[in-house]
């Protein structure tokens, strides 16, 4: 009788498969805390074995809400400073902020594309896509922010978009996107006021437009 009782005490339960955690629970042992995993841009999760042997994920109590995960763009020039440099005004001022700038070399600006932009009712009513020519114009305006600085010697009253070359549109830009544009000065003939620039525009890190720009400025 005693031998049978001892065998029954160590025999595994017959209902369902056996798991280390379940056996430990029956023995009155404390279960280890679930492992909390984290990765950049992903929510924190807790993993624990379920009754069927599959992992179960649950949001950790201190998981960072999605609205708090993305820091704002830096602001080297705000819209008021941009308006002091560029002569453009609504509805043709297509740069909202400059997030990086090095005098006489390059500038990185952003354009927040919204459904309220006045070109969307006609381009296109059923599929709002930012016109490619306006993407090019926005990039040229970022280039103008480089050219119209005292370090370059440009003049606000005499600034022109003179030409484009090798322009390629890689992906459509739609309402809700943030267009990030980098314009880099590659050649400048101060005597003639001619500047050649390389431009690239991105949405979420994906290249959407690129090309070579020719800008001209002149003094009185």
């Amino acid at each position: 009788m005693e031998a049978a009782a001892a065998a029954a005490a160590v025999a595994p339960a017959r209902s369902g498969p056996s798991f280390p955690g379940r056996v430990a629970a029956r023995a009155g042992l404390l279960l280890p805390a679930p492992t909390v995993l984290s990765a950049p841009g992903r929510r924190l999760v807790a993993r624990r074995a379920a009754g069927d042997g599959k992992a179960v994920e649950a949001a950790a109590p201190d998981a960072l809400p999605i609205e708090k995960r993305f820091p704002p763009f830096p602001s080297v020039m705000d819209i008021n400073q941009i308006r002091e440099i560029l002569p453009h005004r609504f509805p043709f001022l297509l740069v909202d902020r400059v997030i990086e700038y090095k005098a006489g070399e390059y500038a990185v600006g952003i354009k927040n594309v919204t459904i309220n932009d006045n070109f969307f009712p006609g381009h296109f009513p059923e599929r709002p896509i930012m016109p490619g020519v306006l993407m090019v114009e926005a990039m040229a305006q970022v280039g103008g922010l480089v050219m119209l600085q005292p370090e370059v010697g440009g003049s606000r009253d005499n600034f022109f978009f003179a030409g484009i070359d090798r322009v390629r549109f890689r992906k459509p830009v739609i309402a809700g996107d943030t267009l990030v544009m980098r314009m880099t000065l590659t050649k400048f003939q101060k005597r003639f006021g001619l500047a050649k620039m390389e431009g690239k525009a991105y949405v979420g890190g994906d290249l959407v437009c690129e090309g070579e720009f020719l800008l001209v400025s002149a003094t009185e």
Side-chain angles (χ1 to χ4, degrees):
M1 294 292 291
E2 294 180 358
V10 299
R14 294 182 180 179
S15 58
S18 176
F19 298 101
R22 184 176 295 176
V23 174
R26 291 197 187 94
L29 300 178
L30 294 176
L31 291 174
T35 303
V36 178
L37 306 178
S38 64
R42 296 185 179 181
R43 64 188 179 91
L44 299 177
V45 297
R47 295 180 182 272
R48 185 190 296 274
D52 57 358
K54 296 182 180 179
V56 176
E57 293 187 0
D62 58 347
L64 192 64
I66 190 169
E67 65 271 17
K68 296 183 179 180
R69 296 178 200 166
F70 304 101
F73 283 105
S75 181
V76 176
M77 295 183 195
D78 61 22
I79 189 62
N80 294 315
Q81 293 169 302
I82 291 171
R83 285 165 56 89
E84 291 177 358
I85 299 171
L86 293 180
H88 307 74
R89 292 295 181 267
F90 177 84
F92 231 67
L93 180 55
L94 301 175
V95 185
D96 295 321
R97 181 184 295 185
V98 174
I99 62 176
E100 191 171 285
Y101 171 76
K102 189 169 183 180
E105 294 189 20
Y106 69 88
V108 181
I110 64 172
K111 158 65 178 168
N112 295 307
V113 184
T114 79
I115 197 62
N116 293 318
D117 282 313
N118 67 338
F119 47 78
F120 278 137
H123 197 280
F124 300 98
E126 302 301 325
R127 189 184 180 189
I129 298 176
M130 184 176 184
V133 291
L134 294 184
M135 292 169 58
V136 171
E137 170 63 24
M139 295 167 72
Q141 291 181 17
V142 176
L145 292 169
V146 178
M147 288 298 299
L148 294 176
Q149 298 299 320
E151 298 86 353
V152 181
S155 169
R156 168 177 171 165
D157 297 328
N158 297 276
F159 167 72
F160 305 97
F161 182 14
I164 54 176
D165 193 16
R166 299 181 182 178
V167 173
R168 296 292 183 272
F169 301 103
R170 305 297 183 185
K171 290 185 177 181
V173 176
I174 63 174
D177 285 340
T178 298
L179 191 65
V180 182
M181 304 162 284
R182 175 181 288 270
M183 293 292 289
T184 305
L185 183 64
T186 58
K187 187 177 181 180
F188 180 51
Q189 296 179 348
K190 190 172 182 178
R191 179 181 177 184
F192 302 103
L194 292 174
K196 188 174 184 180
M197 308 191 79
E198 179 186 77
K200 293 181 182 292
Y202 302 84
V203 171
D206 293 331
L207 182 66
V208 296
C209 180
E210 62 182 330
E212 296 176 355
F213 295 70
L214 185 63
L215 309 175
V216 59
S217 63
T219 57
E220 293 291 348

